[in-house]
Amino acid sequence: MSKFTLAIHGGAGTILKSMLTPELEIRYKQGLQEALDAGYQLLQKGGNALDAVEAAVCALEDNPLFNAGKGAVYTHQGDHEMDACIMDGRTLDAGAVCGVKSIKNPIRLCKSVMLHSGHVMLSGEGALDFAIQRGIETAPDEYFHTPFRYEQWIEIRDSDAYQLDHRKSAEDSPIPEGKKFGTVGAVALDSFGNLAAATSTGGMTNKKYGRIGDSPVVGAGNYANNQTCAVSCTGHGEFFLRAVVAYDVSCLMEYRGYTLAQACEEVVKNKLVKMGRENGLIAVDTQKNYQLCFNSEGMYRGIQSSSGINHVAIYGDHD
Ligand code: ASP
């Protein structure tokens, strides 16, 4: 019987049941389930892992609740600069974009970069030129305007502070009080035994100077290799860059012979805890093992697999 599986995340952090209204919890879970279904349907039809992670991440990018695509946070200049990466575990091909504006689905652009640019990573205006040439959908500034993200930015725009996707919640804000990372990602194993990973983010509110995080960097926030695993991360990018987190998980499997679970445990629950960081990652291997691993209170996450699992969750337990 063919085996396939898809895992997704929509960010990790201080996410407690007491912070979300029942209505908001439903909206998050619906958003996660829709993204899971979008990718899983492709896998069920015999589609490949790369297309499945792209479809799942596109659905999350289209949902304003998550900090990617439509829901991307505001930069210091008051616009949106997005980072994303996709990687094919079969070939180790990768495509990434950083600091891109006006792209409706940055993950689609990443796939096009991988397949058609002859490069791995494109940035800023050059990436936009390439997108236009390839017919990738763009969107006007208004598309990326979400009132609660705007308020997040207004609170700190006159300071030097930058922050992850967290804030004290306003009355009308769907973002709960506390600290959370809203980056989105997906990892998949397809029925041909191939792995893929995709990650997309708006980065940090009020970020300056063209700041780029870990999400578009191969091996830091995103990685896939059929020899080991596919990984997508969420957390404070500066630390993930320094700890080369996604590749570290893969290396522990490749060079130390760790299982997927051991490798994720070591990196998330040991190394990153020692760095004092709240964060999480999702990972799958070619044996259909999966990990939705985090050291924070919660992580927006979901898993669906050919063994019949279909589950979305938010908090530290099974919920
Ligand atoms: N890793 C992302 C960044 O630092 C943030 C996140 O995970 O939400 O840009």
Side-chain angles (χ1 to χ4, degrees), residues 67 164 181-183 201 203 211 213-215 234-237:
N67 173 19
L164 287 140
F181 311 109
T183 290
T201 188
R211 179 261 183 194
D214 60 311
S215 306
T234 176
H236 194 144

Side-chain angles (χ1 to χ4, degrees), residues 232-306:
S232 170
C233 302
T234 176
H236 194 144
E238 277 64 13
F239 291 84
F240 278 68
L241 281 163
R242 286 187 229 151
V244 202
V245 171
Y247 189 57
D248 202 20
V249 172
S250 172
C251 284
L252 287 169
M253 295 178 73
E254 187 168 1
Y255 303 124
R256 280 254 171 111
Y258 280 29
T259 64
L260 184 74
Q262 287 168 334
C264 293
E265 178 87 11
E266 171 62 20
V267 173
V268 177
K269 305 269 175 77
N270 187 20
K271 282 180 141 179
L272 286 164
V273 169
K274 284 185 186 146
M275 289 174 95
R277 292 297 122 185
E278 281 199 344
N279 54 68
L281 58 80
I282 53 172
V284 291
D285 68 14
T286 50
Q287 299 311 304
K288 216 171 62 171
N289 296 307
Y290 69 88
Q291 286 291 308
L292 312 171
C293 192
F294 51 101
N295 62 28
S296 51
E297 253 112 355
M299 180 165 79
Y300 298 104
R301 60 198 186 277
I303 174 78
Q304 201 165 349
S305 99
S306 53

